[in-house]
Amino acid sequence: MNDLYEWDEAKRRINLDQHALDFEDVRQFGWNTAIIKSSDRGGESRWIAYGYFEDRLHAVVYTWRGDVKRIISFRPARISEVQRHG
């Protein structure tokens, strides 16, 4: 598993305000059992991982920058996502 991460600090603060989740916590996200799907947007190859953080299903949106996962969003899974992937 790759454990190198990066993010935009302003985006991290927005994510904290919106979802009360810190990008730092993706290190404890359930990457080993996550369901990962492509989620391209605006010409950029993105990925969305559905996995468990603490006791709830979450979604992490990221892209690759070399060998580093660049975190775009980290949030609780929506009800429809829980029904599909939970």
Side-chain angles (χ1 to χ4, degrees), residues 34-51:
I35 297 168
I36 300 174
K37 298 182 174 196
S38 72
S39 178
D40 296 347
R41 184 172 170 186
E44 179 180 49
S45 293
R46 292 184 176 190
W47 304 92
I48 185 164
Y50 296 101

Side-chain angles (χ1 to χ4, degrees), residues 43-79:
E44 179 180 49
S45 293
R46 292 184 176 190
W47 304 92
I48 185 164
Y50 296 101
Y52 282 86
F53 172 70
E54 297 177 344
D55 62 348
R56 182 166 182 204
L57 189 69
H58 283 72
V60 177
V61 178
Y62 65 96
T63 190
W64 287 101
R65 299 284 167 89
D67 292 335
V68 178
K69 285 179 182 155
R70 184 168 180 84
I71 306 302
I72 298 165
S73 176
F74 179 34
R75 62 175 173 74
R78 297 179 183 111
I79 293 171

